[in-house]
Amino acid sequence: MAKGDGSIQQLGRNKWRVSVSFGKDPVTGKYRRATQVVNGTKAEAKKVRDGMVRDHENGLRVDAAKVTFGEFARQWQQAKEASGAVCKQRSDLERRNVREMCAIVGELPIGEITPTVLEDLYARIRAGREAKLGRPISNRTMREVHATMRQIMKKAVNYDLILRNPCDRVETPKAEDPGRRSLSVSEGRSLLSALDDAESAAYGRLRAKEARQCEWKATEGRGKILGVKDISSVLAVRLALATGMRRGEVFGTAWGAVDLRTRELRVSQSLTVDGDLKAPKTRAGVRTIALDVTTARRLARWKEEQADYLSMLGLDQTDETPIFCSNVGGWFDLHNFETWWRRFRKENGFDGLKFHELRHTQATQLLAQGVDVKTVQTRMGHSNASLTLNWYAHAIPQNDRQAADMLGELFADGGEKEEKPRLRMVKTA
């Protein structure tokens, strides 16, 4: 078998041994070879073989000899990042997890990572983070650590470095109740009223500033227009409440994705905290959402105003122009938005309201008003309806009372009706 080639040997019906050779290790001088038994079709075995070769080409060392956990974990991380399969935020999280793991068990041979070692590892990582932060950390954080370790050890199983994944015998930290809050109808109305006032005030401040700029004859060669991002912030919250879109989806929307005549918005990308645009994780995330009349009218007004302000900066408003832009006409810095959002919440009696809870509000209220699950699923961008129900169909007190009253009336009506006489069967000779 030549270096880099792979062989597939049939062991039985729908059972294959995949072997890949990578020549001599320049450090140890030992031949490197990986094998794996595949249960399935030959086509599936070929996919496994090709994946092993691809991982090696991405920098993942495949060595059946004992290697340390630290060596293998870092190579796993580098290979995953080289593949481009994860976003920067996820990559940063996994890099941190790997760094902390390696600091504790990095020198251990990977075959010595047992369930007991893992339990001690998790306890030490938790204690270390809590000491650094000065507060308890969530189980969700530890679930992320466990998920990273599980992926690393799964890859080690695939390459026959270990026989089975020790993570399978460690209890996964329980997920906490996320405490999904949603606004009531009256709270939603109060928020919209506050947004109306904030939008009007933002337009007023911007126009007053521009009037002063004209008086001072300071309109030439400008690099930014102060106040544009304030209007963008208000309208972004309005759109989130009206559609249930995620924060990144809201701020990742350009004018070309909106048809104000038909009142439809196409979701096809999301803005990350690092300022990058990324596609939705699933096909269901790409969707078209209907807009209500008021939201469409507010956006239409802003489109006209924004075009005028951008022209003062020497910019043309195009289909690629962000709807919610910065003071220089570019994509919004989400850190700046969070600063505005905290101030807005505090000033208007919504202190502690998370942006994502506007999404919860949309879904919960739609279901409460009897909108079918399929429609809610589509608006949320969920891959299936069960996910929508699991996340958002939590108990709504008034619905529970209505259900009880309806059932009581149903049975009561049935009980008041006169019972029809039963027919007696007469035997004939």
Side-chain angles (χ1 to χ4, degrees), residues 257 262-267 284-291 378-379:
T262 61
R263 293 190 284 115
E264 291 182 328
L265 184 152
R266 180 74 171 171
V267 180
V286 178
R287 60 200 188 277
T288 298
I289 302 176
L291 301 175
T378 301
R379 288 183 72 83

Side-chain angles (χ1 to χ4, degrees), residues 276-335:
D276 300 321
L277 292 172
K278 66 175 184 178
K281 294 180 180 178
T282 64
R283 286 187 297 176
V286 178
R287 60 200 188 277
T288 298
I289 302 176
L291 301 175
D292 63 272
V293 174
T294 301
T295 300
R297 186 182 301 125
R298 301 281 179 149
L299 290 178
R301 175 191 179 188
W302 172 233
K303 187 175 184 180
E304 292 182 4
E305 298 257 1
Q306 186 199 60
D308 291 337
Y309 291 124
L310 291 180
S311 67
M312 296 178 187
L313 300 177
L315 301 174
D316 293 328
Q317 186 187 70
T318 68
D319 285 348
E320 285 71 43
T321 301
I323 295 179
F324 311 113
C325 65
S326 65
N327 287 336
V328 298
W331 296 103
F332 215 108
D333 185 330
L334 295 183
H335 296 98

Side-chain angles (χ1 to χ4, degrees), residues 45-338:
K46 288 181 179 179
K47 288 183 179 179
V48 171
R49 178 200 60 191
D50 295 343
M52 293 165 68
V53 173
R54 184 169 56 252
D55 284 337
H56 174 73
E57 291 173 349
N58 285 334
L60 184 61
R61 178 184 174 192
V62 183
D63 193 342
K66 284 189 176 181
V67 294
T68 65
F69 172 80
E71 179 185 11
F72 188 80
R74 293 187 188 97
Q75 291 170 351
W76 168 85
Q77 174 197 329
Q78 293 168 4
K80 191 169 183 181
E81 291 179 359
S83 70
V86 291
C87 65
K88 184 179 183 301
Q89 185 176 4
R90 182 73 188 181
S91 180
D92 290 343
L93 183 149
E94 291 180 344
R95 190 181 300 112
R96 178 187 180 184
N97 291 342
V98 169
R99 184 173 62 250
E100 292 184 336
M101 293 172 184
C102 291
I104 299 173
V105 299
E107 298 304 316
L108 286 179
I110 197 166
E112 294 184 16
I113 304 297
T114 65
T116 303
V117 170
L118 289 178
E119 290 170 353
D120 178 67
L121 170 66
Y122 295 163
R124 293 175 64 179
I125 289 178
R126 181 187 286 274
R129 290 193 182 184
E130 290 181 346
K132 185 176 181 179
L133 296 174
R135 59 175 174 79
I137 63 173
S138 66
N139 279 352
R140 178 181 178 180
T141 298
M142 295 311 301
R143 285 174 67 89
E144 292 287 356
V145 173
H146 182 68
T148 301
M149 176 61 82
R150 183 188 293 276
Q151 291 182 53
I152 294 171
M153 302 309 283
K154 180 180 179 181
K155 183 65 69 174
V157 171
N158 290 345
Y159 291 142
D160 290 336
L161 295 178
I162 56 177
L163 295 177
R164 56 181 176 175
N165 194 332
C167 296
D168 295 338
R169 291 176 286 161
V170 174
E171 184 175 353
T172 304
K174 293 182 179 179
E176 298 116 333
D177 181 355
R180 290 179 290 273
R181 172 190 175 187
S182 62
L183 299 176
S184 65
V185 173
S186 61
E187 288 174 328
R189 289 171 178 165
S190 296
L191 178 58
L192 275 179
S193 177
L195 290 171
D196 287 343
D197 294 341
E199 183 180 339
S200 177
Y203 273 119
R205 289 193 301 270
L206 181 53
R207 286 168 181 161
K209 289 178 182 178
E210 289 307 303
R212 291 195 295 270
Q213 292 285 339
C214 290
E215 290 177 8
W216 300 336
K217 298 180 179 180
T219 57
E220 298 295 329
R222 302 173 64 183
K224 60 183 176 180
I225 296 181
L226 298 177
V228 167
K229 69 177 184 179
D230 290 338
I231 300 176
S232 293
S233 297
V234 176
L235 290 173
V237 177
R238 179 184 292 278
L239 183 65
L241 184 62
T243 62
M245 293 167 66
R246 301 174 180 87
R247 186 185 67 176
E249 293 173 338
V250 169
F251 284 97
T253 304
W255 284 115
V258 183
D259 188 329
L260 294 174
R261 183 182 60 82
T262 61
R263 293 190 284 115
E264 291 182 328
L265 184 152
R266 180 74 171 171
V267 180
S268 61
Q269 61 185 18
S270 179
L271 183 68
T272 71
V273 293
D274 300 307
D276 300 321
L277 292 172
K278 66 175 184 178
K281 294 180 180 178
T282 64
R283 286 187 297 176
V286 178
R287 60 200 188 277
T288 298
I289 302 176
L291 301 175
D292 63 272
V293 174
T294 301
T295 300
R297 186 182 301 125
R298 301 281 179 149
L299 290 178
R301 175 191 179 188
W302 172 233
K303 187 175 184 180
E304 292 182 4
E305 298 257 1
Q306 186 199 60
D308 291 337
Y309 291 124
L310 291 180
S311 67
M312 296 178 187
L313 300 177
L315 301 174
D316 293 328
Q317 186 187 70
T318 68
D319 285 348
E320 285 71 43
T321 301
I323 295 179
F324 311 113
C325 65
S326 65
N327 287 336
V328 298
W331 296 103
F332 215 108
D333 185 330
L334 295 183
H335 296 98
N336 290 340
F337 169 75
E338 282 302 318

Side-chain angles (χ1 to χ4, degrees), residues 347-398:
E347 292 174 352
N348 292 278
F350 290 94
D351 200 14
L353 177 66
K354 298 176 182 178
F355 191 91
H356 202 73
E357 289 170 340
L358 303 177
R359 180 172 169 83
H360 301 330
T361 299
Q362 163 93 181
T364 301
Q365 291 302 332
L366 288 178
L367 292 170
Q369 299 304 316
V371 176
D372 65 278
V373 176
K374 188 65 180 177
T375 298
V376 179
Q377 171 203 337
T378 301
R379 288 183 72 83
M380 294 297 101
H382 288 158
S383 55
N384 56 67
S386 62
L387 180 61
T388 305
L389 289 174
N390 289 338
W391 273 84
Y392 295 111
H394 34 290
I396 300 174
Q398 61 267 32

Side-chain angles (χ1 to χ4, degrees), residues 403-419:
D405 293 342
M406 180 192 70
L407 198 63
E409 292 174 4
L410 177 67
F411 290 153
D413 289 344
E416 292 175 357
K417 293 179 181 178
E418 294 185 3
E419 187 174 316

